[in-house]
Amino acid sequence: DYLGFMGNLGTTKVERIAPQRFALTIAHGSCWQGYCGQWLSVYGLEAGKVRVLARGIALSATNEGADESCEKAPRPGKSEEPPRGACFDVSGTPSFTLGTDEAPGEMRIAFKGERTSGTKNRRVLTIDSTLVYAWRNGAYVLTEGRNPVPSF
């Protein structure tokens, strides 16, 4: 696979998905012009081979560096101005339930964060949701939820 940025593969972790089955997770990403994102790919580790179980799931995004008014920390001497667009800072944490060797357990991604809507009222929406991926035909398939990570 082709993952990572500027020589950095990302964060890797080996997870047990069944008594005798393991998966490698890779959370990879970068920042561009103040927008930062991270994506998750999952690979099955089997005797003599590696298989893709899920690829390119949006795991986090923030635009704090793209618009100064989206920064969380107050800046001394700066007045609070409304953002030019919506602000967002959302991140997810994957976890796996233990299944059987024939049917590995679910993958869940719990998301937390905030995003604003509108530029005048600047309502803050709290994000607290979970995606559920079930094992189907040898891979993880989204079965519950909608990914709250905004694209950019």
Side-chain angles (χ1 to χ4, degrees), residues 3-150:
L3 303 176
F5 185 74
M6 301 282 294
N8 183 357
L9 179 62
T11 304
T12 61
K13 188 174 182 183
V14 175
E15 301 274 1
R16 184 182 295 270
I17 59 175
Q20 299 299 313
R21 293 182 90 156
F22 296 89
L24 170 68
T25 61
I26 301 177
H28 53 95
S30 189
C31 296
W32 305 270
Q33 298 180 353
Y35 292 87
C36 297
Q38 192 175 42
W39 294 267
L40 176 71
S41 293
V42 182
Y43 303 88
L45 303 176
E46 300 174 13
K49 66 180 174 177
V50 175
R51 285 187 320 114
V52 175
L53 302 181
R55 175 182 283 143
I57 300 169
L59 194 58
S60 70
T62 182
N63 68 340
E64 286 183 4
D67 187 336
E68 285 183 359
S69 61
C70 290
E71 292 178 12
K72 289 184 178 172
R75 295 167 318 281
K78 293 269 190 169
S79 63
E80 290 302 314
E81 56 194 54
R84 289 184 293 277
C87 299
F88 53 87
D89 186 9
V90 180
S91 62
T93 304
S95 63
F96 294 83
T97 59
L98 193 63
T100 66
D101 288 327
E102 293 77 34
E106 294 175 332
M107 175 176 67
R108 295 176 169 265
I109 305 175
F111 290 93
K112 301 276 186 206
E114 295 178 338
R115 71 183 306 163
T116 59
S117 67
T119 55
K120 291 185 180 187
N121 297 339
R122 202 169 180 202
R123 277 188 352 162
V124 176
L125 306 172
T126 300
I127 295 169
D128 185 3
S129 63
T130 301
L131 298 181
V132 177
Y133 287 79
W135 186 263
R136 301 276 191 273
N137 299 320
Y140 282 107
V141 176
L142 180 62
T143 57
E144 285 181 42
R146 182 173 170 263
N147 196 319
V149 175

